[in-house]
Amino acid sequence: MQVIAKRTLKQFWEKHPQAETPLKVWFVMVSKAEWTSPADVKAMFGSADFVGDSRVIFDIGGNKFRLVARIAYRFKRVMVKFVGTHKEYDEINPEVV
């Protein structure tokens, strides 16, 4: 999958250094994945939650952080829409962020 917006991840881990390694691991795993459906995502990330508009919520770093991505299975793209702490996540609507 092509991950769009790695810069967003980098900006986040520059503010939260403890997120750097788990975000890099997530990025590598997703970049190597060949997802064709939500079932493929769930098989790789069992804790992933699915919401509207093809968005998936990932727990990052032992559930310390949340990442929301929109997946276009047909085009093999994953667009990072949000990455933040649980507190920051609680303040957004993952379906529209």
Side-chain angles (χ1 to χ4, degrees):
M1 304 296 286
Q2 177 187 12
V3 180
I4 300 171
K6 185 176 182 183
R7 189 178 109 211
T8 302
L9 302 179
K10 186 176 182 200
Q11 289 171 340
F12 184 76
W13 77 53
E14 286 173 349
K15 286 195 254 181
H16 302 276
Q18 67 274 30
E20 182 174 2
T21 298
L23 285 172
K24 284 182 175 180
V25 168
W26 178 88
F27 181 86
V28 169
M29 289 177 70
V30 174
S31 295
K32 292 180 180 179
E34 295 194 21
W35 296 331
T36 59
S37 71
D40 295 334
V41 177
K42 197 69 169 172
M44 185 177 282
F45 295 97
S47 64
D49 293 315
F50 299 85
V51 295
D53 195 30
S54 299
R55 292 171 191 244
V56 183
I57 303 162
F58 296 93
D59 295 328
I60 303 292
N63 205 20
K64 293 179 184 137
F65 307 103
R66 290 279 174 98
L67 186 149
V68 178
R70 185 169 188 268
I71 302 176
Y73 299 99
R74 182 176 173 197
F75 300 105
K76 306 288 184 203
R77 291 195 180 123
V78 177
M79 178 174 279
V80 175
K81 303 298 274 181
F82 168 86
V83 61
T85 64
H86 268 278
K87 183 178 179 185
E88 292 165 336
Y89 172 80
D90 289 342
E91 297 172 5
I92 64 147
N93 179 345
E95 293 183 24
V96 297
V97 68

